[in-house]
Amino acid sequence: MKPGCLLGVALPQAIKAITSALEAIVTLIFKLIVYLGLYIPLAYLLYGGIIWLTLDVELFDLSVNSSLYIVGLGLSIIASIILTLRSGIARIVKLRESRSVVQYQGKKSRSAPEAPKIYRSRVNRGIIVYEYENRFDLYEQ
């Protein structure tokens, strides 16, 4: 076997493994940015990069300008955390309310009276609505 043959087979496989690992890491980072709503800090970091390139300001030393930038970056991270928690809590509440809705799925027969649609009011969760074709009956729980 020639000495370069092993290198010719192993090198492309190693490069392929490295690129697939980097691709997985970048995909994970982008998914975290989307899931956690880190758009505001990302835009703030882009703003800092523009300031650093155009105005030649050092952003992470102990000067007044860098302190203001770091405080702004911290506030943007806190804002994104609050927005993420708020939207997550809203999703949980909406899911919980949808599970508490009672639906009547009975079969209709000719001799039986009309089967109503039964559900909770969206405005006041303590009111149960019986919806018929020609009327609504409201019951307080």
Side-chain angles (χ1 to χ4, degrees):
M1 181 183 265
K2 294 183 180 181
C5 183
L6 183 62
L7 185 64
V9 172
L11 188 63
Q13 293 297 324
I15 292 173
K16 185 177 179 183
I18 290 170
T19 56
S20 64
L22 287 175
E23 183 179 336
I25 290 170
V26 169
T27 304
L28 178 68
I29 289 171
F30 280 120
K31 284 185 179 182
L32 282 174
I33 288 171
V34 170
Y35 182 74
L36 296 176
L38 296 174
Y39 305 111
I40 299 169
L42 202 60
Y44 201 81
L45 284 172
L46 180 66
Y47 166 71
I50 292 170
I51 288 175
W52 179 69
L53 288 174
T54 58
L55 301 177
D56 198 31
V57 174
E58 291 298 323
L59 297 177
F60 296 105
D61 60 354
L62 296 177
S63 67
V64 173
N65 291 332
S66 95
S67 298
L68 289 173
Y69 178 77
I70 292 171
V71 167
L73 182 63
L75 288 174
S76 68
I77 290 172
I78 290 171
S80 69
I81 290 171
I82 289 171
L83 291 174
T84 302
L85 290 176
R86 182 176 162 206
S87 65
I89 290 171
R91 280 189 215 146
I92 291 170
V93 167
K94 187 175 181 181
L95 179 67
R96 207 169 176 198
E97 286 179 355
S98 68
R99 287 185 180 171
S100 67
V101 172
V102 179
Q103 292 285 342
Y104 179 76
Q105 299 293 333
K107 293 182 179 179
K108 293 183 179 180
S109 69
R110 292 183 186 182
S111 62
E114 172 191 357
K117 290 182 183 177
I118 304 170
Y119 53 90
R120 292 187 185 277
S121 170
R122 289 185 183 165
V123 177
N124 186 351
R125 301 303 295 170
I127 294 181
I128 299 175
V129 179
Y130 282 67
E131 180 181 344
Y132 296 94
E133 285 184 14
N134 59 353
R135 70 183 190 281
F136 293 97
D137 289 341
L138 303 175
Y139 297 97
E140 190 171 355
Q141 190 176 16

